[in-house]
Amino acid sequence: MIRFLKGLILLPIAIVVVLLAVANRQPVMLSFDPFTDGTPAFSLQLPLYALIFAAVALGVVVGGVGSWLGQGDNRRDRRAKGRELNRLRGETERLRQTVAATTPTVGRTALPAPVSRA
């Protein structure tokens, strides 16, 4: 079912991406020199769709890094709580062993014997 839903969503996206690439394959000049009009010092000539895809990919990477950095406090809290949980589990196990070693199991009842009121 999930596979079908993925296909249902990703297939139209893939078609749009292919159509975008076919429709925008004209080369454009990407210049990183804002001061020179004629021949810029550093420029690239690449298809427009490649420029669009690179910008989208860069946006995804920057957004992922920003999200990862923003969740640092949550990760730190989870690590601290995990350490505390492991410490408490160890303490619980140690206490269970101590109780089991010090109390006899034969003749032990969970509740005291009932007292008759007669």
Side-chain angles (χ1 to χ4, degrees):
M1 183 67 175
I2 301 260
R3 201 169 173 178
F4 175 73
L5 290 175
K6 266 191 206 177
L8 191 64
I9 292 171
L10 292 179
L11 185 63
I13 291 173
I15 291 171
V16 168
V17 166
V18 169
L19 290 175
L20 179 78
V22 169
N24 294 298
R25 57 182 184 238
Q26 301 85 4
V28 294
M29 181 166 299
L30 175 64
S31 173
F32 294 103
D33 186 7
F35 303 112
T36 307
D37 290 335
T39 55
F42 183 70
S43 65
L44 295 171
Q45 195 152 17
L46 64 156
L48 181 60
Y49 73 88
L51 182 63
I52 293 171
F53 291 165
V56 169
L58 182 66
V60 168
V61 169
V62 168
V65 168
S67 176
W68 183 77
L69 290 174
Q71 294 173 357
D73 294 337
N74 294 337
R75 288 192 306 276
R76 189 177 321 112
D77 288 344
R78 273 187 81 135
R79 281 193 303 270
K81 288 181 181 173
R83 285 190 298 267
E84 183 180 5
L85 179 65
N86 288 336
R87 182 184 61 80
L88 291 174
R89 281 182 180 162
E91 185 177 344
T92 303
E93 187 59 33
R94 183 183 55 81
L95 290 173
R96 282 184 182 156
Q97 290 173 357
T98 303
V99 167
T102 59
T103 57
T105 57
V106 179
R108 183 172 165 234
T109 59
L111 296 174
V115 178
S116 67
R117 295 189 175 187

